Amino acid sequence: MLDERKKELLKEIVENYVKTVKPVGSKSLCKKLKCSSATIRNEMAVLENMGYIEKNHISSGRIPSELGYRYYVENLMKPKDLTGEDMLKLQTIFSNKELQVSDAVAKCMEIISDLTNYTSIVLGKNSNDNLLQQINIITLDSNKVVAIVCTDKGIVENKQFILPSNSNVAEIVRTSEMINKMLVGTPINKVAEKLEFEIKPIIAQQIKNYETVYNIFYDAFNDFLMHNTNIHVSGRVNLLKEPEYDNTEDIKRIASKLEDESFREMVNSIDGNEELQIYIGEETNFDDNVTVIKRKYKSNGEEGTIAIIGPKRMEYERVVSLLNYMVDKIEGK
């Protein structure tokens, strides 16, 4: 637990660092906190020992740690009132009644990306869009098979697998027949869950190497979801403009991640939790120096998730307010 002075000090350090991108020294906070530089240094030392702030290697000032950011967003942050200009830009989109919900959401997220200079994501999902129609196993040779997933909307996705030497293709085919019998008509995004709780217990009793067989079908359905989810990304290069990526190696690293499979994996790992969620640094499973803020929306039978990716040194209050305002407008609140 932090006392009120430490809370105020941590809040000032986070908000100053977000605004200036410069480590915060004790002297700069004396007037604001109405105490001496020595007192602030002592309190900083305590916060540092507790893991909420850390020293910057090129300065005697302090910057927030991941734990500090986490404490800030959960205990100290207050959503920021949007400016009239911000609201007007978003309201212009929602006032266009000819736009479908998905198009309005995509356009609004493009605006938010421009307003914040962060990367925005729209992850469209509708559990009723694609139902499992059939999964087939095609044998290529003694150690290779192809799993073909078909949906009621006519989407077909295939994935090739190299089998371990102890695999029995007949058991894989038998499992596919079981899936077709039990799971046809299931929304694709629910198949993995049913596979785990309905199919896996059965094959565990009947098949010796059931984990290998189970993983083939789990990977096939997961691959389908990864390649057929409606993803709209805006401002992908915005993240590269942040001061955190101020050298060639850092720019190359994050640029590569934004373009490769890890980005898609990160997007698809964003869950469907109704509440606004904030993932900081390591929690993103994408890059230790970014934050992902996301929220789910529902409107007229359509649903999806909107998210913002920025540096850990993000304008948390503003991004939270923008996403909440947008979802309220989408849902007609």
Side-chain angles (χ1 to χ4, degrees):
M1 294 293 292
L2 300 182
D3 59 35
E4 289 305 313
R5 185 157 64 188
K6 290 183 181 63
K7 287 180 182 179
E8 189 176 3
L9 177 57
L10 178 58
K11 184 173 185 290
E12 288 297 321
I13 290 173
V14 171
E15 293 179 356
N16 269 274
Y17 185 62
V18 166
K19 187 183 298 183
T20 67
V21 205
K22 295 179 180 178
V24 183
S26 58
K27 290 182 180 179
S28 64
L29 299 175
C30 291
K31 186 175 181 180
K32 179 78 175 180
L33 300 182
K34 298 178 181 178
C35 53
S36 69
S37 180
T39 298
I40 293 176
R41 284 198 301 272
N42 289 337
E43 296 284 39
M44 280 183 167
V46 175
L47 287 174
E48 187 174 357
N49 287 335
M50 296 174 76
Y52 291 111
I53 60 176
E54 54 195 22
K55 258 186 182 177
N56 185 285
H57 64 283
I58 59 172
S59 169
S60 60
R62 305 299 196 278
I63 64 174
S65 65
E66 279 191 22
L67 183 63
Y69 283 120
R70 173 54 60 195
Y71 189 91
Y72 174 78
V73 300
E74 291 183 354
N75 300 282
L76 306 176
M77 177 184 75
K78 293 181 180 179
K80 191 174 185 179
D81 291 337
L82 298 184
T83 65
E85 185 180 359
D86 288 351
M87 287 191 287
L88 182 61
K89 288 181 178 179
L90 295 173
Q91 286 171 352
T92 301
I93 301 299
F94 289 114
S95 64
N96 186 347
K97 303 302 181 183
E98 295 181 3
L99 286 176
Q100 293 184 348
V101 172
S102 57
D103 293 331
V105 170
K107 287 183 179 296
C108 281
M109 290 304 284
E110 288 176 5
I111 290 173
I112 289 177
S113 181
D114 289 339
L115 291 174
T116 60
N117 286 320
Y118 303 144
T119 300
S120 71
I121 298 171
V122 180
L123 181 62
K125 275 188 177 179
N126 189 322
S127 60
N128 296 317
D129 273 351
N130 283 280
L131 309 180
L132 177 64
Q133 186 176 65
Q134 192 175 39
I135 182 164
N136 292 317
I137 298 295
I138 306 296
T139 304
L140 299 181
D141 56 37
S142 60
N143 71 332
K144 286 183 184 178
V145 297
V146 173
I148 303 175
V149 178
C150 308
T151 77
D152 64 325
K153 302 295 185 185
I155 297 177
V156 179
E157 190 79 32
N158 61 77
K159 184 174 178 65
Q160 182 175 308
F161 296 90
I162 299 176
L163 305 175
S165 57
N166 59 351
S167 298
N168 185 327
V169 175
E171 291 178 338
I172 298 172
V173 172
R174 185 151 56 95
T175 302
S176 72
E177 293 170 350
M178 189 185 307
I179 292 172
N180 286 330
K181 184 177 180 180
M182 297 177 64
L183 302 186
V184 165
T186 300
I188 286 290
N189 61 340
K190 299 294 184 183
V191 169
E193 181 182 343
K194 287 181 173 289
L195 197 64
E196 171 75 21
F197 294 107
E198 296 181 20
I199 303 297
K200 191 175 183 180
I202 297 174
I203 64 173
Q205 295 176 353
Q206 300 179 8
I207 297 175
K208 184 177 181 181
N209 298 311
Y210 73 93
E211 287 283 358
T212 298
V213 175
Y214 168 80
N215 287 334
I216 286 175
F217 292 100
Y218 179 86
D219 289 347
F221 288 117
N222 191 54
D223 198 62
F224 181 95
L225 285 173
M226 287 179 64
H227 289 94
N228 290 284
T229 304
N230 180 22
I231 300 174
H232 181 87
V233 181
S234 300
R236 198 182 293 251
V237 299
N238 286 353
L239 198 56
L240 303 179
K241 300 175 184 176
E242 294 296 328
E244 281 79 358
Y245 305 104
D246 60 356
N247 64 63
T248 304
E249 289 305 312
D250 286 339
I251 291 173
K252 284 181 179 178
R253 187 187 83 254
I254 196 65
S256 176
K257 286 187 174 184
L258 288 169
E259 296 298 334
D260 69 14
E261 198 65 25
S262 66
F263 179 73
R264 182 175 286 274
E265 288 175 1
M266 183 274 289
V267 172
N268 280 288
S269 70
I270 296 175
D271 62 42
N273 192 304
E274 296 284 345
E275 300 299 321
L276 183 137
Q277 298 288 313
I278 300 176
Y279 305 91
I280 302 171
E282 290 184 2
E283 298 169 355
T284 66
N285 294 318
F286 176 64
D287 188 85
D288 290 350
N289 211 16
V290 304
T291 284
V292 178
I293 303 182
K294 63 90 180 174
R295 187 172 168 188
K296 188 176 181 180
Y297 69 85
K298 292 182 180 179
S299 179
N300 298 325
E302 290 190 44
E303 65 178 68
T305 300
I306 53 178
I308 291 291
I309 304 176
K312 285 193 296 187
R313 182 198 49 78
M314 178 187 278
E315 285 186 277
Y316 288 93
E317 310 101 313
R318 189 180 186 207
V319 172
V320 167
S321 296
L322 283 166
L323 293 187
N324 284 338
Y325 177 82
M326 185 175 156
V327 171
D328 286 347
K329 283 293 182 181
I330 294 169
E331 298 181 347
K333 296 178 181 177

